[in-house]
């Protein structure tokens, strides 16, 4: 196939000789938003949560005022960077990089488009220290909801063994797992918490096997984070155990077994950013989803008959977090600490 | 300590994990024995995984709380049918059109990876759904055996079927005319042709069979082991299956040992972490891959691959 | 004897050059129905694909940047396949190279940038060569099939990278964060591979080609990795066909038994093939790191860093006829398809899965069309030879 050489040369010559026919940036009234996500937009987890938020915003503001486009499955960071740059140069008003691995590329791209607003999650880093002012950051304090669900899990377990399945021990997953574990132990120090980071975001069979191993060890309440957990949910369903979900509402996966889901509602981070963009004042701030501001919600599964006392205990802890009576800090070793305010 | 790690449930889990590898690798063994390498196993697995789940979902009555036999049967049949189509397409490309088998396989893989996801998005709008898959079947008497019962005889039908394929494959390859023809075609197609064996027909048969078994491997994930479908849910298992064919030196029994070794170590490393033993997670995850290589260093006998592997055949040259 | 080949011979060859193109078009035609199925307009889609791959200088630059690792992996594949070993370990070797480059770069970030860049690139080659060499030694001395070992070594390298990036190599800023990002520090900007857009603009000026529009090469992300890859492709060509070592590698690949009989140390050449092949994949990783990524990040596993170039490079090499020079256009074409495909997804908002399936189709069609080229050329040669010898016979018959 040496002839390909000739072919590609022809193609390249044509490409360079033919004047570029890119369309100039459109000037429209409507706000145009682009989002780049690592996995598919319907992963029932991280990527879906941002798409759901954008759909909600579109519903609220009307399609004539708010348009959004997406690039999904951008696991390859290089491709994501190309997409971000392309969206910015196509004149989108707000370009969202929905993955902590995109930060490095974003810090290279943002300075080239000072009039475009960028958002990056999940992180708190807005690159202010690098003199960049047009990057917003957003994160979810997922340890808060995890803690609440952990407390409820501790009250529900009969075997006193609880299992958590995670992908890799970093970022949002670590925060969730640490929070859940802290909640369980805060409620009952005697409980054994089994944690397994399976080192994969996509291997359903491995997630299932990890859940099986926990069930065999006697765990009767499980939880897990990232897009491979449906494999684990099914094993819990078969064994008649209980499941706590995060990132999206997973009640439909196992209506009899899912107790509650922590749901990320990114509109609480996106709306203030959008207001800034509309006002033409790009500030580059960081926003967090918390139980207090409503960005994190615990959605109980309506099909599951949860003991009223357990639910009340959960709601009490939730209120304590909202009121600031319980808060979280991370020490120098990256360990999550639970801080309880003095009574009164 | 060791008792805690190597428990009956860990071994049982390892056997379940081995199932998809076994189907896919046995299918690939047939193809390679006749001289055709198919790197596209992963793509066919994904197609089988999605379509079988789709069939089960559609046929199971709404609101059913347990499995529905006809739906599961339909799921398997649909997987076999899809595998047949994908296998035939692979055969046309690799046998009739004599494509470079290394690349055509990567093309088939990418096509299956994309197409299964595209169908998933078109049919279910990408929403993750679960089905009631194959239930565990306790084999009478044997399942009551202490320890062994739990490990071997309380699995589901697709698991039993996978292991039943091992002796069947051995028999077909070594004791039948068909098997003789397959081996002849893989070893020396010119001579086989001279003896009146249709090289093309034999290869069409093995490659199509390989496609069907790969598709069934996918079904064994989506309607028997995890009962859901997700984009790229095989996560590289199809490529491991191809590697296991080399591990097993193109013999059904060897392939089974490879699949079992890999999967048991995988189940064991999960148990190590479940037990909270302080090993970096990543090292534990490496174990099955590392041990497969090490085992082969010690176990390897000098068995040459089928002489005509990856070489297209054309009459009258 | 000099054969006088008739004119139709050359005409036929030109026609053959377009056969892969027809195959691509046929695949795209079928893909058009898939696009229709997803409620999008195929014409808009394909215009976007073209525009994304070649439509602007930025697009051409993206395509070339994408082609760089494909080409480097591809020329390594040329060596290994010619040497009779199937190296599917490009992914792992790229990771080994990337890790080496980031480690060296961070260790010596105070030193003279040019020296450090060279050290990083050499280091990435060596790391890839060692990782590939493991599979070589396993094959040559322990009889472990290289397809098996390289597939397994890919995973092992990925897990190793994830461990290192999360622990030893982690950016100090992330170390104690509540939700740490698993990534290394960014290499200092002085270690970025130099961009070559400015030089190209000068060249354009010199040739009087400079466009009136503001669109200049200088603003593109094109770095000098592509130049390195081009040069190395020529080096590999010379190595394989103009040196004794190259001759022996090919001899071992063609017929190991005869080579052994001829006194070639087959085992050593097997190891060498895999080491060289791995070395180029490692260098692809190093160039990807210094030219594009500037840091390692464990999220998303291997593909986030390699972009699947370890596998796609095999396709590029085989499309290029396992010839280093043929691999150059093949990698550009394949890079264009990948870059353009992403643009297609953005422009008409179809699921990314469609692009994956489409690329699969294109590969299958191109590889399946090859038989027609081979048949035609064989028939042509046969016809040409018989005509020519008939002519020769006539000449001889009439003195």
């Amino acid at each position: 196939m040496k002839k390909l050489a000739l072919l590609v040369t022809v193609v390249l010559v044509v490409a360079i000789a033919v004047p570029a026919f890119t369309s100039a940036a459109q000037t429209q009234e409507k706000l145009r938003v682009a989002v780049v996500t690592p996995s598919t937009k319907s992963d029932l987890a991280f990527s879906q949560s941002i798409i759901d938020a954008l759909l909600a915003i579109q519903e609220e503001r009307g399609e004539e005022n708010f348009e959004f486009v997406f690039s999904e499955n951008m696991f390859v960071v290089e491709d994501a960077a190309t997409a971000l740059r392309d969206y910015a140069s196509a004149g989108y008003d707000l370009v969202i990089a929905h993955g902590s691995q995109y930060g490095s590329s974003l810090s290279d791209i943002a300075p080239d488009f000072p009039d475009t607003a960028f958002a990056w999650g999940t992180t708190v880093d807005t690159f202010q220290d690098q003199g960049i002012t047009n990057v917003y950051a957003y994160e979810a304090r997922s340890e808060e909801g995890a803690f609440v669900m952990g407390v409820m899990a501790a009250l529900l377990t009969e075997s006193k063994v609880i299992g958590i399945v995670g992908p890799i021990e970093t970022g949002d997953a670590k925060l969730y797992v640490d929070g859940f574990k802290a909640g369980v132990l805060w409620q009952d120090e005697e409980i054994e918490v089994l944690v397994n980071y399976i080192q994969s975001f996509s291997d359903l069979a491995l997630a299932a096997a990890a859940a099986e191993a926990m069930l065999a060890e006697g765990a009767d309440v499980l939880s897990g984070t990232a897009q491979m957990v449906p494999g684990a949910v099914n094993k819990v369903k078969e064994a008649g155990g209980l499941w706590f979900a995060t990132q999206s509402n997973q009640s439909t996966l196992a209506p009899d077994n899912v107790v509650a889901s922590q749901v990320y509602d990114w509109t609480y981070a996106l709306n203030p950013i959008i207001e800034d963009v509309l006002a033409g004042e790009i500030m580059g701030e960081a926003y967090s989803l918390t139980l207090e501001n409503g960005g994190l919600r615990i959605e109980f599964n309506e099909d599951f008959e949860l003991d009223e006392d357990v639910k009340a205990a959960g709601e009490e802890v939730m209120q304590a977090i909202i009121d600031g009576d319980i808060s979280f800090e991370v020490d120098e070793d990256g360990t999550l600490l639970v801080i309880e305010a003095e009574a009164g | 300590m060791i008792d805690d790690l190597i428990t009956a449930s860990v071994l049982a889990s390892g056997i379940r994990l081995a199932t998809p590898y076994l189907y896919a690798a046995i299918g690939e063994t047939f193809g390679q024995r006749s001289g055709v390498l198919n790197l596209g196993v992963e793509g066919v697995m994904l197609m089988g995984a999605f379509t079988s789940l789709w069939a089960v979902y559609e046929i199971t009555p709404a609101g059913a709380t347990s499995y529905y036999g006809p739906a599961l049967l339909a799921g398997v049949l649909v997987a076999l049918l899809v595998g047949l189509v994908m296998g035939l397409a692979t055969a046309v490309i690799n046998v009739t059109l004599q494509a470079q088998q290394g690349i055509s396989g990567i093309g088939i893989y990418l096509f299956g990876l994309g197409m299964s996801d595209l169908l998933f998005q078109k049919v279910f709008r990408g929403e993750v759904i679960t089905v009631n898959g194959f239930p565990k079947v306790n084999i009478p008497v044997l399942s009551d055996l202490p320890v062994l019962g739990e490990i071997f005889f309380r699995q589901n039908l697709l698991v039993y079927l996978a292991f039943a394929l091992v002796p069947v494959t051995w028999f077909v390859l070594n004791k039948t005319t068909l098997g003789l023809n397959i081996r002849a075609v893989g070893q020396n197609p010119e001579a086989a042709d001279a003896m009146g064996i249709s090289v093309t027909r034999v290869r069409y048969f093995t490659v199509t069979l390989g496609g069907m078994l790969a598709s069934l491997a996918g079904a064994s994930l989506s309607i028997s082991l995890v009962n859901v479908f997700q984009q790229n849910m095989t996560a590289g298992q199809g490529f491991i299956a191809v590697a296991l064919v080399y591990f097993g030196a193109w013999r059904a029994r060897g392939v089974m040992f490879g699949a079992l070794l890999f999967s048991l170590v995988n189940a064991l490393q999960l148990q190590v972490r479940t037990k909270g033993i302080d090993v970096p997670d990543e090292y534990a995850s490496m174990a099955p891959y590392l041990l497969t290589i090490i085992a082969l260093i010690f176990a390897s006998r000098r068995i040459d691959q089928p002489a005509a592997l990856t070489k297209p055949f054309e009459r009258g040259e | 004897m000099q054969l006088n080949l008739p004119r139709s011979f050359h005409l036929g060859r030109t026609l053959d050059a377009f056969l892969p193109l027809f195959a691509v078009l046929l695949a795209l035609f079928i893909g058009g129905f898939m696009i229709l199925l997803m409620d999008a307009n195929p014409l808009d889609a394909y215009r976007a694909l073209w525009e994304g791959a070649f439509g602007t200088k930025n697009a051409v630059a993206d395509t070339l940047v994408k082609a760089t690792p494909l080409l480097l992996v591809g020329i390594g594949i040329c060596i290994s396949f010619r040497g009779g070993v199937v190296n599917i370990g490009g992914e792992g070797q790229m990771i080994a190279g990337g890790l080496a480059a980031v480690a060296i770069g961070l260790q010596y970030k105070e030193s003279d940038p040019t020296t450090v860049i060279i050290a990083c690139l050499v280091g990435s080659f060596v790391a890839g060569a060692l990782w590939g060499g493991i599979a070589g030694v396993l094959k040559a001395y322990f009889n472990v099939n290289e397809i098996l070992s390289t597939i397994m070594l890919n995973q092992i390298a990925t897990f190793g990278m994830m461990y290192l990036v999360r622990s030893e190599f982690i950016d100090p800023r992330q170390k104690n964060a509540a939700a740490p990002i698993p990534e290394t520090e960014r290499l200092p900007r002085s270690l970025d591979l130099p961009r070559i857009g400015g030089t190209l603009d000068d060249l354009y000026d010199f040739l009087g080609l400079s466009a009136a529009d503001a669109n200049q090469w200088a603003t593109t992300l094109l770095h000098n990795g592509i130049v390195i890859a081009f040069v190395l492709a020529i080096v590999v060509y010379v190595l394989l066909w103009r040196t004794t070592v190259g001759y022996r590698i090919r001899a071992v690949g063609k017929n190991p038994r005869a080579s052994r009989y001829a006194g070639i140390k087959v085992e050593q050449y097997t190891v060498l093939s895999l080491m060289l092949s791995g070395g180029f994949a490692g260098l692809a990783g190093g160039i990807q790191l210094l030219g594009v990524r500037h840091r390692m990040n464990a999220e998303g596993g291997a593909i986030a860093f390699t972009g699947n170039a370890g596998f796609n490079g095999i396709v590029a090499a085989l499309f290029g006829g396992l010839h280093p020079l043929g691999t150059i256009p093949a990698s550009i074409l394949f890079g264009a398809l990948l870059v353009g495909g992403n643009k297609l997804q953005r422009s008409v908002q179809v699921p990314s899965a469609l692009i994956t399936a489409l690329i699969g189709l294109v590969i299958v069609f191109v590889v399946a069309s090859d038989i027609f080229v081979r048949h035609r050329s064989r028939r042509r040669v046969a016809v040409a030879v018989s005509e020519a010898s008939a002519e020769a016979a006539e000449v001889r018959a009439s003195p």
Side-chain angles (χ1 to χ4, degrees):
Chain A
M1 286 182 213
K2 228 183 282 181
K3 300 103 192 174
L4 270 180
L6 175 72
L7 200 79
V8 172
T9 319
V10 171
V11 168
L12 272 180
V13 166
V14 172
I16 292 162
V18 173
F21 50 91
T22 39
S23 48
Q26 288 161 303
T27 45
Q28 283 172 314
E29 291 295 307
K30 89 160 83 162
L31 187 75
R32 297 166 74 229
V33 177
V35 59
V36 178
T37 66
S39 47
T40 51
K41 68 181 196 301
S42 50
D43 64 354
L44 216 58
F46 188 66
S47 298
Q48 181 164 353
S49 66
I50 194 89
I51 300 285
D52 285 350
L54 288 167
L55 281 170
I57 293 173
Q58 189 175 46
E59 182 128 323
E60 190 189 310
R61 293 177 185 261
E63 273 188 45
E64 65 283 2
N65 301 317
F66 185 89
E67 173 203 333
F68 80 92
V69 294
F70 67 92
S71 285
E72 57 170 3
N73 238 337
M74 291 283 118
F75 279 114
V76 182
V77 177
E78 180 191 353
D79 294 346
T82 308
L84 293 171
R85 192 176 280 278
D86 195 43
Y87 282 132
S89 48
Y92 281 85
D93 303 300
L94 171 62
V95 179
I96 304 171
H98 191 60
S100 57
Q101 64 265 50
Y102 302 152
S104 187
S105 313
L106 196 57
S107 69
D108 287 346
I109 295 167
D112 293 346
F113 301 93
D115 298 330
T116 306
F118 292 89
W120 174 36
T122 58
T123 178
V124 287
D125 192 354
T126 60
F127 307 121
Q128 301 281 5
D129 57 335
Q130 297 179 33
I132 297 170
T133 55
N134 57 336
V135 175
Y136 289 85
Y138 57 89
E139 57 151 5
R141 298 296 299 268
S142 57
E143 79 276 19
E144 294 189 357
F147 187 84
V148 174
M149 296 199 295
V151 169
M152 290 191 285
L155 292 169
L156 287 169
T157 178
E158 287 167 12
S159 62
K160 304 289 174 196
V161 184
I162 286 175
I164 317 171
V165 181
I168 59 177
E169 192 179 353
T170 51
D172 186 65
K174 178 176 185 296
L175 208 53
Y176 177 80
V177 172
D178 288 354
F180 198 94
K181 191 172 174 180
V184 172
L185 297 178
W186 183 80
Q187 180 64 35
D188 185 350
E189 280 186 5
E190 301 292 304
I191 293 177
E192 189 183 354
V193 182
L194 310 172
V195 176
N196 198 341
Y197 289 102
I198 66 165
Q199 305 301 312
S200 167
F201 285 88
S202 57
D203 198 328
L204 291 167
L206 210 57
E212 278 182 327
M214 290 170 172
L215 291 163
E217 286 299 312
D220 58 352
V221 182
L222 279 85
S223 183
T225 175
Q227 54 267 36
M228 77 297 168
V229 296
V233 178
N234 248 314
K235 291 296 155 192
V236 173
K237 188 172 156 185
E238 278 172 27
L242 300 178
W243 178 262
F244 285 93
T246 186
Q247 293 184 331
S248 288
N249 191 328
Q250 294 169 0
S251 299
T252 53
L253 283 180
D256 298 332
N257 310 81
V258 176
V259 180
S261 307
Q262 168 174 245
V263 176
Y264 293 3
D265 184 349
W266 294 113
T267 57
Y268 286 82
L270 293 177
N271 269 324
I273 299 175
I274 288 169
E275 291 302 331
D276 280 4
V277 175
L278 286 174
E281 293 167 2
I282 301 171
M283 322 270 259
E285 280 175 89
Y287 294 96
S288 298
L289 301 187
T290 61
L291 288 172
E292 189 194 354
N293 66 23
L296 291 181
R297 276 197 311 272
I298 306 288
E299 291 184 359
F300 289 94
N301 175 10
E302 285 170 10
D303 294 329
F304 181 82
E305 285 179 27
L306 179 60
D307 188 289
E308 285 301 320
D309 292 343
V310 176
K311 190 171 181 181
E315 280 167 347
E316 193 183 321
V317 175
M318 206 182 325
Q319 196 56 47
I321 294 174
I322 291 172
D323 295 343
D325 293 337
I326 296 178
S327 58
F328 305 93
E329 262 178 33
V330 173
D331 74 3
E332 285 179 357
D333 302 326
T335 313
L336 189 74
L337 304 176
V338 181
I339 317 283
E340 286 182 75
E342 299 291 322
Chain B
M1 164 100 174
I2 295 289
D3 292 355
D4 279 353
L5 292 179
I6 306 179
T7 63
S9 72
V10 170
L11 297 177
S13 164
I15 283 179
R16 277 193 290 281
L17 283 176
T19 306
Y21 295 112
L22 207 47
Y23 281 117
I26 285 181
E28 179 75 11
T29 301
F30 274 103
Q32 293 206 5
R33 261 304 179 78
S34 73
V36 183
L37 165 75
N38 179 13
L39 275 179
V41 176
E42 175 107 349
V44 183
M45 278 178 78
L46 282 163
M47 288 297 288
F50 174 73
T51 51
S52 60
L53 176 116
W54 184 12
V56 171
Y57 178 81
E58 291 295 335
I59 294 174
T60 303
T65 50
S66 95
Y67 72 94
Y68 181 59
L72 295 179
L73 184 66
V76 169
L77 290 178
V78 165
L80 289 175
L81 186 69
V82 167
L84 181 94
V85 172
M86 294 285 287
L88 272 178
T90 312
V92 171
I93 297 160
N94 284 346
V95 181
T96 304
L97 296 176
Q98 303 172 10
Q100 281 260 17
Q101 290 164 15
I103 344 179
S104 66
I106 292 179
I108 292 160
Y109 156 57
L110 290 174
F111 177 77
L113 172 66
M115 202 62 198
S116 59
D117 188 17
L118 205 59
L119 287 171
F120 178 49
Q121 308 222 10
K122 194 75 187 165
V123 175
F124 296 117
R125 301 160 94 224
E127 277 172 40
V128 180
I129 53 132
T130 61
V131 294
N132 297 305
F134 280 88
K136 285 187 181 168
V137 176
N138 292 352
I139 294 184
V141 188
L142 290 175
S143 63
D144 296 330
L145 289 173
V147 188
L148 291 181
E150 183 181 351
I151 300 173
F152 295 111
F153 303 111
R154 294 181 212 164
Q155 305 282 8
N156 71 52
L157 274 180
L158 286 187
V159 178
Y160 296 133
L161 181 64
F163 283 87
L165 276 178
V166 175
V168 172
T169 305
W170 173 83
F171 183 81
V172 170
L173 281 177
N174 295 296
K175 300 288 167 196
T176 64
T177 320
L178 176 67
L180 187 69
N181 290 352
I182 292 173
R183 284 181 291 139
V185 164
Q187 218 39 259
N188 191 341
E190 286 78 17
D193 184 59
M195 284 177 355
I197 303 169
S198 165
V199 175
T200 307
R201 200 176 301 164
V202 168
R203 286 186 173 171
Y204 260 77
F205 172 76
T206 56
V207 172
T208 308
L209 182 66
M212 291 166 77
L213 287 175
S215 188
L216 200 54
S220 77
L221 275 172
S222 70
I223 62 172
S224 139
L225 288 179
V226 295
N227 299 336
V228 280
F229 179 83
Q230 255 183 10
Q231 183 253 357
N232 192 24
M233 70 182 283
T234 48
Q237 294 184 7
F239 289 97
I240 302 292
V242 174
L244 291 177
V245 175
Y246 291 91
F247 184 95
W250 301 273
R251 272 130 189 97
R253 203 177 52 159
V255 166
M256 180 184 74
F257 285 143
L260 278 176
L261 172 75
F262 185 83
S263 304
L264 286 172
V265 175
N266 224 342
L268 189 64
Q269 62 94 1
L270 286 172
Q271 179 73 357
V272 165
R273 280 186 274 174
T274 304
K275 280 287 175 188
I277 293 170
D278 200 18
V279 185
D281 292 332
E282 294 86 351
Y283 288 173
S285 292
M286 270 182 207
Y289 303 90
L290 207 56
L291 283 174
T292 309
I293 295 181
I294 293 172
L296 199 55
I297 293 175
F298 290 106
S300 86
R301 297 148 293 161
R302 194 160 274 283
I303 295 173
D304 285 329
Q305 62 180 35
L309 188 58
T310 76
K311 296 192 179 74
F313 172 73
E314 201 168 356
R315 285 188 82 156
E317 276 185 279
Chain C
M1 187 179 74
Q2 182 81 35
L3 284 182
N4 258 329
L5 296 178
R7 192 118 143 276
S8 63
F9 185 85
H10 298 287
L11 200 73
R13 282 191 59 153
T14 326
L15 201 68
D16 285 351
F18 286 93
L19 254 170
L21 185 69
F22 290 142
V24 172
L25 288 180
L26 193 60
L28 293 184
F29 182 74
I30 293 174
F33 288 98
M34 284 158 54
I35 295 172
L36 270 179
L37 208 71
M38 299 312 286
D39 308 319
N41 179 344
L43 287 179
D44 288 349
Y46 289 137
R47 187 177 308 132
L49 184 126
W50 170 263
E51 203 177 297
F54 296 114
T56 62
K57 283 176 182 156
N58 264 323
V60 175
D62 286 344
T63 295
L64 291 175
V65 169
K66 194 81 184 170
T68 305
L70 297 181
L71 176 54
L72 285 165
V73 172
I75 57 178
I77 293 295
C78 291
I79 300 174
S80 67
F81 277 42
R82 293 269 175 194
V85 282
V86 182
N87 177 15
I88 312 197
E91 294 282 293
Q93 292 144 9
M94 275 184 80
I95 287 173
L99 276 177
V102 83
I104 295 169
L106 288 176
Q107 185 70 34
Y108 299 102
K109 53 185 165 185
E110 311 296 335
S111 314
D112 168 54
T114 315
T115 320
V116 179
I117 287 178
I118 292 170
C120 286
L121 294 183
V122 171
S124 63
F125 187 93
V126 171
L130 290 176
W131 200 250
I134 296 174
V137 170
L138 284 173
K139 181 182 170 73
Y141 300 103
F142 296 95
N143 195 27
V144 174
N145 181 287
E146 76 279 13
I147 294 188
L148 179 138
S149 63
T150 49
I151 287 178
M152 299 293 170
L153 283 166
N154 282 342
Q155 287 298 325
I156 294 171
T158 307
F159 289 129
M161 180 270 285
M162 284 160 74
Y163 175 72
L164 287 173
V165 168
R166 180 169 70 82
S167 56
E168 315 279 319
F169 286 17
I170 196 166
D171 186 346
R173 297 198 322 158
Q174 299 293 344
K175 203 168 191 171
N176 304 320
I181 300 173
E183 64 183 14
T184 67
E185 217 176 310
R186 190 201 191 282
L187 288 180
R189 281 173 205 276
S190 57
L191 294 186
D192 290 5
L193 281 185
R195 300 256 167 91
I196 56 172
T199 320
L200 269 182
D201 282 331
D202 293 346
L203 191 69
Y204 266 50
D205 282 343
F206 179 74
L207 297 172
L209 282 173
S210 45
D213 61 3
N215 196 348
Q216 296 271 304
W217 286 104
T219 57
T220 67
L221 301 179
L222 193 61
H223 58 76
N224 70 3
I226 189 73
V227 181
I228 299 176
F230 279 165
V231 171
L232 287 175
I234 297 168
V235 169
V236 170
Y237 165 72
V238 172
L239 171 88
L240 277 177
W241 276 279
R242 296 283 182 273
T243 67
T244 323
V245 174
Y247 168 75
R248 286 183 178 164
I249 288 177
R250 287 185 294 123
V252 169
K254 268 231 162 69
N255 192 339
R257 219 163 287 168
S259 304
R260 194 185 305 278
Y261 192 68
I264 300 176
K265 295 201 171 66
V266 172
E267 283 80 13
Q268 289 180 9
Y269 279 89
T270 299
V271 177
L272 181 70
S273 302
L274 265 163
M275 284 188 81
L276 285 174
S277 182
F280 284 109
L283 184 64
I287 285 184
Q288 196 68 352
L289 192 101
L290 295 181
V292 179
R293 292 296 307 283
H294 314 301
R295 66 173 11 140
M296 291 295 277
N297 182 313
E299 222 153 327
I303 186 183
F305 174 70
T306 62
N308 241 353
F311 285 113
N312 293 341
I314 302 177
V315 179
L318 289 167
F319 275 0
L322 288 180
H323 192 292
L325 302 182
T327 307
I328 295 177
S331 0
I332 294 174
L333 197 74
F334 204 59
L337 204 57
L338 294 171
V339 171
N342 282 331
K343 175 77 176 180
L344 190 167
Q345 194 271 330
R346 287 197 290 279
S347 293
V348 294
Q349 293 287 295
V350 287
S352 63
L354 194 143
I355 313 302
T356 313
L358 195 63
I359 291 175
L361 269 187
V362 171
I363 293 176
V364 167
F365 274 69
V366 172
V367 73
S369 75
D370 198 37
I371 186 174
F372 299 106
V373 181
R374 273 182 283 131
H375 274 188
R376 286 169 50 86
S377 84
R378 202 181 306 143
R379 201 176 323 134
R380 257 191 332 269
V381 169
V383 170
V385 167
S386 66
E387 280 177 10
S389 44
E391 216 170 275
E394 252 170 57
V395 172
R396 229 173 305 139
S398 55

